[in-house]
Amino acid sequence: MDFLSRKARSIAPYTAGEQLRDRTYVKLNTNENPYPPSPRVKQALLDMDADGLRRYPRPDAGLLRAAIAEKEGVSPENVFCGNGSDEVLALSFPAFFDADGAGACFADLTYSFYEVFAAFFGIPAKVVPLREDFTFDLAAMRAQDCQGYYIANPNAPTGIGIGRAEMEQFVRSVPEKIVILDEAYMDFFGESFVPLVKEYPNVLVVRTFSKSYALAGIRCGYAVGNASLIAGLFRMKDCFNSYPVDAVAEAVCAAAVGDRDYYAAATEKVIAERGRLTVALREMGFTVPESRANFLFAGRGRLGGKAIYEKLRSEGVLVRFWDRPLLRDFVRITVGSHEENDILLEKLNKILS
Ligand code: PMP
């Protein structure tokens, strides 16, 4: 007897990057930060009152929303927090799209969770190919009949970014449609749309603590946008999980948001290493689009992504590979620390010779 629903039987779930523990790897496969979180995070953990954990956390993550609002220059009513930006993105589908509507539009090569969410919520997906050079074809997206858009900026897994001015032009051209900007990697680019959200009630910016804040383990993400969009997310949250941000996550993330100097310095280091790796990989014959994120999308013609992935793995270096059209010639390599990147380059040199 099969008790699974048709959906549970047939849906193709998202596959997260490997979290292997069989040996110590140089782990460059899930775009984590090579540097630790702010010392204020450690202090916040030490200051936690363990007895207080018998209480439920704030259902609205009010303390964290206030901290984020202050940092982003908006009001708390413009901020929503969830269990990772994945959850915020998930809730955005039923909040802004109808199953019998014109659908959600996104690129063919982008964060692959969008198509999973669309399938899960039964929302039509309008998929638009990237251009040959992996840049977004915003004109083709604009021409789609849809209820709104998902744009990862910078895009994953290519790392390609859209500047604020070009994004504003796009957003302005589709005032009747919602534009969800997934800025998971934006701190490594510095062209966030957040300063403009007040002017565009159709824009929701989604951000995460997992990457530039070096807090992937805490599972927290947030959205910034018009209060009515935020209220829509709250309605969906309260149909699903009343307390998506736990008490530890709330305290830790609020502490992290306050330490701008620390994170600015860590982000600068990642950006510098990204530049060094890009040059080194290109000198080795890799094709590497200009990345604005904390990872590189690298291919080396006939060698193929799978061979690179497997050989690096046997050398103790994990990168990400997808056995899918458009992706299988490439691997995605997270920018590590200087030492980790040296190991990566040394192993690649060995493999290529
Ligand atoms: N958006 C993009 C583009 C991502 O690559 C990721 C990380 N897998 C996420 C969102 C989700 O990140 P998290 O749930 O850790 O906030």
Side-chain angles (χ1 to χ4, degrees), residues 169-250:
Q169 228 178 10
F170 175 76
V171 161
R172 204 194 284 265
S173 73
V174 289
E176 311 285 298
K177 294 174 181 172
I178 182 151
V179 183
I180 292 134
L181 299 177
D182 180 351
E183 293 194 352
Y185 302 101
M186 184 48 89
D187 286 331
F188 305 104
F189 185 16
E191 294 273 321
S192 177
F193 206 81
V194 168
L196 297 181
V197 284
K198 283 190 196 132
E199 296 168 47
Y200 296 97
N202 61 326
V203 176
L204 186 81
V205 181
V206 179
R207 309 207 64 184
T208 181
F209 284 96
S210 299
K211 315 295 181 183
S212 55
Y213 283 102
L215 287 169
I218 210 80
R219 305 304 304 131
C220 192
Y222 63 95
V224 182
N226 187 277
S228 67
L229 303 182
I230 298 300
L233 289 172
F234 268 103
R235 288 176 65 81
M236 296 300 97
K237 162 188 95 72
D238 288 325
C239 296
F240 178 69
N241 180 0
S242 306
Y243 308 98
V245 180
D246 65 68
V248 180
E250 187 174 23

Side-chain angles (χ1 to χ4, degrees), residues 94-136:
F96 308 119
F97 295 88
D98 296 298
D100 58 357
C105 175
F106 43 85
D108 61 344
L109 234 192
T110 188
Y111 187 35
S112 57
F113 229 140
Y114 307 151
E115 64 176 307
V116 176
F117 289 140
F120 182 80
F121 290 107
I123 289 155
K126 299 282 171 73
V127 177
V128 173
L130 292 181
R131 295 203 197 95
E132 195 121 338
D133 61 357
F134 296 120
T135 55
F136 283 98

Side-chain angles (χ1 to χ4, degrees), residues 253-331:
C253 292
V257 164
D259 202 349
R260 295 191 213 184
D261 292 347
Y262 174 87
Y263 283 111
T267 298
E268 274 311 310
K269 283 196 278 185
V270 172
I271 291 171
E273 280 297 305
R274 176 181 76 198
R276 181 173 81 96
L277 264 191
T278 305
V279 170
L281 290 172
R282 285 179 182 161
E283 276 171 2
M284 288 166 128
F286 281 88
T287 302
V288 188
E290 201 62 42
S291 170
R292 306 295 192 176
N294 67 337
F295 54 82
L296 300 174
F297 191 55
R300 203 166 179 288
R302 303 228 320 265
L303 186 55
K306 188 162 189 212
I308 300 168
Y309 158 78
E310 282 174 350
K311 287 180 203 288
L312 278 176
R313 182 175 158 167
S314 69
E315 294 285 339
V317 178
L318 275 186
V319 298
R320 190 93 195 259
F321 165 70
W322 293 269
D323 201 357
R324 287 174 52 154
L326 300 174
L327 289 170
R328 56 172 71 97
D329 290 345
F330 288 79
V331 290

